[in-house]
Amino acid sequence: MARPLVELYQSQLSEAQGNVDQALKKTAVMTGKLIEKGVAKPEDVNIRDCFEVFVTPLIEAAGKDFNPMYDNYDEIREEVVSSQFPYATNKLINPTMIGQYDLDVAPIMPLVTETVSNHPDENIAGTTAGDSPRYTEEAMPYPESGLGEKRVTIQNFKFGHALSLTTEMVRFDQTGELLKRARNVGSRTADVVEEFIVTRISDTAYAEINESTSQAFVQDGTRRALYSSDHSAWDHQTNDNLIQSGTGGVPTIGQVKSMVNLLKGQKDIKGNPVRVRPTTVFGHAQLEEDFDQFFTAQEFDLNSAEKNKNRYRGRYNIITSQFAPSTTEWFMGDFSRQFRLQWVWKPKVTVDRTGDPRRDILVSYYSNFFMGVGAEDHRFVARNAGA
């Protein structure tokens, strides 16, 4: 049976002319690089070999007699902590977790624009409509834009989850179980990010961060409703972007036309038309069949008496999510222009070498990320509340 990690260590030990410490460090670094480059997979390396390569030489150097199958791991905790074992095993866990996260979160990401954040809260200026260029007579000064700006605030939140490597995983070489748990953490990380995004799009309170009222759109320190038949109380324009329950319904030519017209009727605070180019339809996963039927398969509008040709067929991207709060409402617009996902840091794995002997934990790994999601505007997405 091939043991690539053991073979790699032996080759590095030979190159290092018997210098164990140097060989161990190079083996750990090279293992990580081979996995990062895709030359090796995490499944190619097992935990028992990691223990034998990175911990056993330190145990032997300390003059201890240790059998990893039967003996008490508390006796070698110092050797585990000071070894390359936590670093090397993290090189197995991190790509497994991040790979699963990237796979699961990818379908929802076109709904947001990703940015970098360096503060607990980001205050985004410039949401007030700018002045248009004006005709300027010869030798006359150009008109200047006003300095009055509205600000949108998007708060960031930290999330995390622990994954532990236990003594049993080493004793019985449960590499598959460890990597399975890492994939599960990656998948759940994607779930949290996706749920955060779709609750913001739905303008619904996000229970995970203990919200009682949605803070999807906070302008000048005040929470504003993203979807309303009349925003004029604070926006100076009606900017209707809501089809109410009772008049809404699943996509038909009439429903989609109404949504498009709402978006095409949006104005800035000065009453100038806002360019809105709807590209995407979004709703709960239970609406996916309705979306596919109308926007992809249906050549004619079968839900109307006239059976008109479906001019919306193939025009919009379709994105759905099981985490959407409602199974009936759906949305249309230019989502990435309205919604922002800001990262203080993206999902990553950090290592706690100390472990917990009371629970037979050798090493702990923490998946954590720091992010915020919110709307920078309210005029680029319309909501249909359904029937």
Side-chain angles (χ1 to χ4, degrees):
M1 182 177 179
R3 304 179 69 188
L5 183 62
V6 175
E7 294 170 4
L8 177 61
Y9 169 64
Q10 290 173 346
S11 68
Q12 293 304 312
L13 186 62
S14 176
E15 287 186 18
Q17 298 180 347
N19 187 321
V20 173
D21 186 58
Q22 182 180 335
L24 289 174
K25 288 180 180 178
K26 289 192 67 175
T27 301
V29 171
M30 287 189 67
T31 300
K33 288 183 177 179
L34 290 173
I35 292 174
E36 288 171 5
K37 293 177 179 179
V39 177
K41 298 178 181 179
E43 294 83 359
D44 296 335
V45 181
N46 63 61
I47 299 172
R48 178 64 70 82
D49 282 352
C50 281
F51 185 89
E52 180 179 322
V53 167
F54 297 112
V55 182
T56 298
L58 302 187
I59 296 174
E60 293 173 348
K64 297 179 180 179
D65 184 19
F66 182 81
N67 186 320
M69 188 67 186
Y70 305 108
D71 289 341
N72 186 351
Y73 279 77
D74 286 347
E75 298 174 0
I76 58 159
R77 184 159 299 278
E78 182 179 343
E79 285 75 22
V80 173
V81 169
S82 61
S83 74
Q84 296 293 324
F85 180 77
Y87 173 87
T89 50
N90 187 38
K91 290 302 179 179
L92 310 183
I93 292 171
N94 189 70
T96 302
M97 190 276 283
I98 297 298
Q100 189 65 49
Y101 162 78
D102 287 339
L103 180 66
D104 288 349
V105 84
I108 209 72
M109 297 307 282
L111 295 177
V112 294
T113 294
E114 294 184 82
T115 64
V116 175
S117 175
N118 296 310
H119 306 92
D121 304 321
E122 288 291 343
N123 291 302
I124 305 153
T127 60
T128 303
D131 293 320
S132 299
R134 306 296 299 273
Y135 165 69
T136 306
E137 295 185 3
E138 185 177 357
M140 297 300 292
Y142 293 113
E144 294 186 15
S145 295
L147 296 178
E149 295 283 6
K150 291 185 178 295
R151 291 180 178 270
V152 167
T153 301
I154 299 177
Q155 186 176 358
N156 294 317
F157 300 88
K158 186 168 62 173
F159 302 84
H161 186 84
L163 172 65
S164 298
L165 193 159
T166 64
T167 57
E168 284 79 6
M169 288 180 175
V170 178
R171 290 185 198 277
F172 306 113
D173 193 14
Q174 295 178 320
T175 308
E177 178 63 24
L178 180 65
L179 296 181
K180 177 183 175 182
R181 293 185 186 183
R183 282 189 289 270
N184 288 340
V185 171
S187 189
R188 283 299 299 140
T189 298
D191 290 347
V192 171
V193 173
E194 180 172 333
E195 187 175 14
F196 202 172
I197 291 171
V198 302
T199 53
R200 286 304 194 227
I201 290 173
S202 303
D203 200 13
T204 305
Y206 186 31
E208 181 65 29
I209 56 175
N210 301 316
E211 278 185 342
S212 57
T213 306
S214 169
Q215 301 298 305
F217 186 46
V218 178
Q219 188 180 73
D220 292 338
T222 303
R223 174 264 193 286
R224 307 292 189 185
L226 276 175
Y227 309 105
S228 174
S229 57
D230 188 356
H231 289 95
S232 60
W234 56 271
D235 189 37
H236 304 289
Q237 303 294 331
T238 301
N239 283 337
D240 182 2
N241 63 357
L242 173 64
I243 296 181
Q244 303 274 6
S245 178
T247 57
V250 296
T252 63
I253 285 179
Q255 291 289 338
V256 176
K257 180 180 178 181
S258 296
M259 297 277 277
V260 171
N261 285 342
L262 287 180
L263 292 167
K264 297 296 184 182
Q266 298 297 304
K267 299 182 183 300
D268 66 23
I269 197 169
K270 297 179 181 178
N272 301 314
V274 174
R275 294 183 187 273
V276 182
R277 297 183 177 91
T279 61
T280 304
V281 174
F282 167 74
H284 194 279
Q286 291 185 19
L287 290 171
E288 186 170 356
E289 293 299 320
D290 293 308
F291 289 165
D292 283 340
Q293 176 70 22
F294 181 77
F295 290 108
T296 304
Q298 208 163 278
E299 188 174 352
F300 298 93
D301 186 4
L302 303 180
N303 292 318
S304 67
E306 299 82 5
K307 304 296 187 292
N308 292 324
K309 188 173 180 65
N310 182 8
R311 60 186 177 275
Y312 298 112
R313 181 185 181 196
R315 185 175 293 187
Y316 302 107
N317 300 317
I318 296 172
I319 297 177
T320 62
S321 171
Q322 293 172 285
F323 295 98
S326 168
T327 59
T328 57
E329 69 179 7
W330 54 283
F331 304 82
M332 172 182 283
D334 187 351
F335 291 83
S336 62
R337 189 170 179 184
Q338 178 157 308
F339 293 98
R340 166 178 173 141
L341 166 57
Q342 55 194 32
W343 295 106
V344 179
W345 65 74
K346 291 188 175 185
K348 61 181 180 178
V349 179
T350 56
V351 183
D352 178 4
R353 292 171 170 265
T354 58
D356 186 349
R358 294 172 300 176
R359 296 188 294 153
D360 292 330
I361 294 174
L362 280 180
V363 186
S364 293
Y365 310 88
Y366 294 94
S367 163
N368 57 91
F369 52 103
F370 206 154
M371 59 172 285
V373 185
E376 296 186 54
D377 210 312
H378 64 286
R379 293 166 293 195
F380 295 94
V381 175
R383 173 179 177 259
N384 187 312

PDB file of all heavy atoms in Angstrom, residues 220-233:
ATOM      1  N   ASP A 220     -28.845  56.668   6.529  1.00  0.00           N
ATOM      2  CA  ASP A 220     -28.726  57.770   7.490  1.00  0.00           C
ATOM      3  C   ASP A 220     -29.158  57.349   8.898  1.00  0.00           C
ATOM      4  O   ASP A 220     -29.831  58.094   9.615  1.00  0.00           O
ATOM      5  CB  ASP A 220     -29.543  58.979   7.024  1.00  0.00           C
ATOM      6  CG  ASP A 220     -28.971  59.623   5.777  1.00  0.00           C
ATOM      7  OD1 ASP A 220     -27.769  59.421   5.516  1.00  0.00           O
ATOM      8  OD2 ASP A 220     -29.710  60.307   5.047  1.00  0.00           O
ATOM      9  N   GLY A 221     -28.782  56.110   9.275  1.00  0.00           N
ATOM     10  CA  GLY A 221     -29.038  55.622  10.620  1.00  0.00           C
ATOM     11  C   GLY A 221     -30.431  55.075  10.857  1.00  0.00           C
ATOM     12  O   GLY A 221     -30.738  54.648  11.969  1.00  0.00           O
ATOM     13  N   THR A 222     -31.275  55.059   9.835  1.00  0.00           N
ATOM     14  CA  THR A 222     -32.656  54.610   9.993  1.00  0.00           C
ATOM     15  C   THR A 222     -32.939  53.425   9.081  1.00  0.00           C
ATOM     16  O   THR A 222     -32.593  53.457   7.903  1.00  0.00           O
ATOM     17  CB  THR A 222     -33.649  55.745   9.673  1.00  0.00           C
ATOM     18  OG1 THR A 222     -33.366  56.858  10.526  1.00  0.00           O
ATOM     19  CG2 THR A 222     -35.079  55.281   9.887  1.00  0.00           C
ATOM     20  N   ARG A 223     -33.567  52.402   9.628  1.00  0.00           N
ATOM     21  CA  ARG A 223     -33.955  51.249   8.829  1.00  0.00           C
ATOM     22  C   ARG A 223     -35.068  51.657   7.869  1.00  0.00           C
ATOM     23  O   ARG A 223     -36.085  52.237   8.244  1.00  0.00           O
ATOM     24  CB  ARG A 223     -34.437  50.123   9.760  1.00  0.00           C
ATOM     25  CG  ARG A 223     -35.017  48.878   9.062  1.00  0.00           C
ATOM     26  CD  ARG A 223     -36.538  48.982   8.999  1.00  0.00           C
ATOM     27  NE  ARG A 223     -37.225  47.773   8.640  1.00  0.00           N
ATOM     28  CZ  ARG A 223     -37.304  47.215   7.453  1.00  0.00           C
ATOM     29  NH1 ARG A 223     -36.656  47.727   6.436  1.00  0.00           N
ATOM     30  NH2 ARG A 223     -38.023  46.131   7.242  1.00  0.00           N
ATOM     31  N   ARG A 224     -34.888  51.362   6.591  1.00  0.00           N
ATOM     32  CA  ARG A 224     -35.879  51.670   5.563  1.00  0.00           C
ATOM     33  C   ARG A 224     -36.413  50.371   4.956  1.00  0.00           C
ATOM     34  O   ARG A 224     -35.675  49.393   4.811  1.00  0.00           O
ATOM     35  CB  ARG A 224     -35.263  52.514   4.450  1.00  0.00           C
ATOM     36  CG  ARG A 224     -34.541  53.767   4.910  1.00  0.00           C
ATOM     37  CD  ARG A 224     -35.483  54.793   5.487  1.00  0.00           C
ATOM     38  NE  ARG A 224     -34.792  56.070   5.731  1.00  0.00           N
ATOM     39  CZ  ARG A 224     -35.363  57.119   6.327  1.00  0.00           C
ATOM     40  NH1 ARG A 224     -36.613  57.039   6.761  1.00  0.00           N
ATOM     41  NH2 ARG A 224     -34.682  58.234   6.507  1.00  0.00           N
ATOM     42  N   ALA A 225     -37.682  50.375   4.591  1.00  0.00           N
ATOM     43  CA  ALA A 225     -38.277  49.218   3.922  1.00  0.00           C
ATOM     44  C   ALA A 225     -37.770  49.160   2.488  1.00  0.00           C
ATOM     45  O   ALA A 225     -37.861  50.141   1.747  1.00  0.00           O
ATOM     46  CB  ALA A 225     -39.797  49.314   3.942  1.00  0.00           C
ATOM     47  N   LEU A 226     -37.235  48.011   2.089  1.00  0.00           N
ATOM     48  CA  LEU A 226     -36.745  47.871   0.725  1.00  0.00           C
ATOM     49  C   LEU A 226     -37.877  47.870  -0.288  1.00  0.00           C
ATOM     50  O   LEU A 226     -37.745  48.401  -1.392  1.00  0.00           O
ATOM     51  CB  LEU A 226     -35.953  46.567   0.591  1.00  0.00           C
ATOM     52  CG  LEU A 226     -34.481  46.590   0.995  1.00  0.00           C
ATOM     53  CD1 LEU A 226     -33.884  45.188   0.903  1.00  0.00           C
ATOM     54  CD2 LEU A 226     -33.688  47.545   0.109  1.00  0.00           C
ATOM     55  N   TYR A 227     -39.001  47.247   0.077  1.00  0.00           N
ATOM     56  CA  TYR A 227     -40.085  47.064  -0.881  1.00  0.00           C
ATOM     57  C   TYR A 227     -41.344  47.747  -0.356  1.00  0.00           C
ATOM     58  O   TYR A 227     -41.797  47.492   0.761  1.00  0.00           O
ATOM     59  CB  TYR A 227     -40.349  45.575  -1.115  1.00  0.00           C
ATOM     60  CG  TYR A 227     -39.085  44.829  -1.443  1.00  0.00           C
ATOM     61  CD1 TYR A 227     -38.472  44.000  -0.494  1.00  0.00           C
ATOM     62  CD2 TYR A 227     -38.462  44.962  -2.676  1.00  0.00           C
ATOM     63  CE1 TYR A 227     -37.296  43.327  -0.783  1.00  0.00           C
ATOM     64  CE2 TYR A 227     -37.277  44.293  -2.976  1.00  0.00           C
ATOM     65  CZ  TYR A 227     -36.701  43.486  -2.020  1.00  0.00           C
ATOM     66  OH  TYR A 227     -35.535  42.830  -2.306  1.00  0.00           O
ATOM     67  N   SER A 228     -41.898  48.633  -1.178  1.00  0.00           N
ATOM     68  CA  SER A 228     -43.092  49.378  -0.785  1.00  0.00           C
ATOM     69  C   SER A 228     -43.761  49.933  -2.034  1.00  0.00           C
ATOM     70  O   SER A 228     -43.099  50.167  -3.055  1.00  0.00           O
ATOM     71  CB  SER A 228     -42.711  50.526   0.168  1.00  0.00           C
ATOM     72  OG  SER A 228     -43.835  51.331   0.450  1.00  0.00           O
ATOM     73  N   SER A 229     -45.060  50.145  -1.935  1.00  0.00           N
ATOM     74  CA  SER A 229     -45.771  50.782  -3.047  1.00  0.00           C
ATOM     75  C   SER A 229     -45.562  52.291  -3.046  1.00  0.00           C
ATOM     76  O   SER A 229     -45.920  52.979  -4.010  1.00  0.00           O
ATOM     77  CB  SER A 229     -47.270  50.464  -2.973  1.00  0.00           C
ATOM     78  OG  SER A 229     -47.790  50.883  -1.718  1.00  0.00           O
ATOM     79  N   ASP A 230     -44.952  52.815  -1.967  1.00  0.00           N
ATOM     80  CA  ASP A 230     -44.723  54.261  -1.890  1.00  0.00           C
ATOM     81  C   ASP A 230     -43.563  54.550  -0.943  1.00  0.00           C
ATOM     82  O   ASP A 230     -43.671  54.354   0.263  1.00  0.00           O
ATOM     83  CB  ASP A 230     -45.989  54.968  -1.402  1.00  0.00           C
ATOM     84  CG  ASP A 230     -45.889  56.492  -1.483  1.00  0.00           C
ATOM     85  OD1 ASP A 230     -44.803  57.005  -1.855  1.00  0.00           O
ATOM     86  OD2 ASP A 230     -46.886  57.164  -1.183  1.00  0.00           O
ATOM     87  N   HIS A 231     -42.440  55.013  -1.494  1.00  0.00           N
ATOM     88  CA  HIS A 231     -41.262  55.368  -0.697  1.00  0.00           C
ATOM     89  C   HIS A 231     -41.137  56.880  -0.492  1.00  0.00           C
ATOM     90  O   HIS A 231     -40.119  57.350  -0.001  1.00  0.00           O
ATOM     91  CB  HIS A 231     -39.980  54.881  -1.394  1.00  0.00           C
ATOM     92  CG  HIS A 231     -39.795  53.396  -1.374  1.00  0.00           C
ATOM     93  ND1 HIS A 231     -40.195  52.586  -2.409  1.00  0.00           N
ATOM     94  CD2 HIS A 231     -39.239  52.568  -0.438  1.00  0.00           C
ATOM     95  CE1 HIS A 231     -39.883  51.328  -2.129  1.00  0.00           C
ATOM     96  NE2 HIS A 231     -39.309  51.283  -0.938  1.00  0.00           N
ATOM     97  N   SER A 232     -42.139  57.629  -0.884  1.00  0.00           N
ATOM     98  CA  SER A 232     -41.985  59.088  -0.958  1.00  0.00           C
ATOM     99  C   SER A 232     -41.782  59.748   0.404  1.00  0.00           C
ATOM    100  O   SER A 232     -41.269  60.867   0.476  1.00  0.00           O
ATOM    101  CB  SER A 232     -43.197  59.718  -1.657  1.00  0.00           C
ATOM    102  OG  SER A 232     -44.396  59.439  -0.948  1.00  0.00           O
ATOM    103  N   ALA A 233     -42.170  59.089   1.491  1.00  0.00           N
ATOM    104  CA  ALA A 233     -42.024  59.705   2.812  1.00  0.00           C
ATOM    105  C   ALA A 233     -40.574  60.021   3.132  1.00  0.00           C
ATOM    106  O   ALA A 233     -40.292  60.953   3.882  1.00  0.00           O
ATOM    107  CB  ALA A 233     -42.623  58.788   3.882  1.00  0.00           C
TER     108      ALA A 233
END
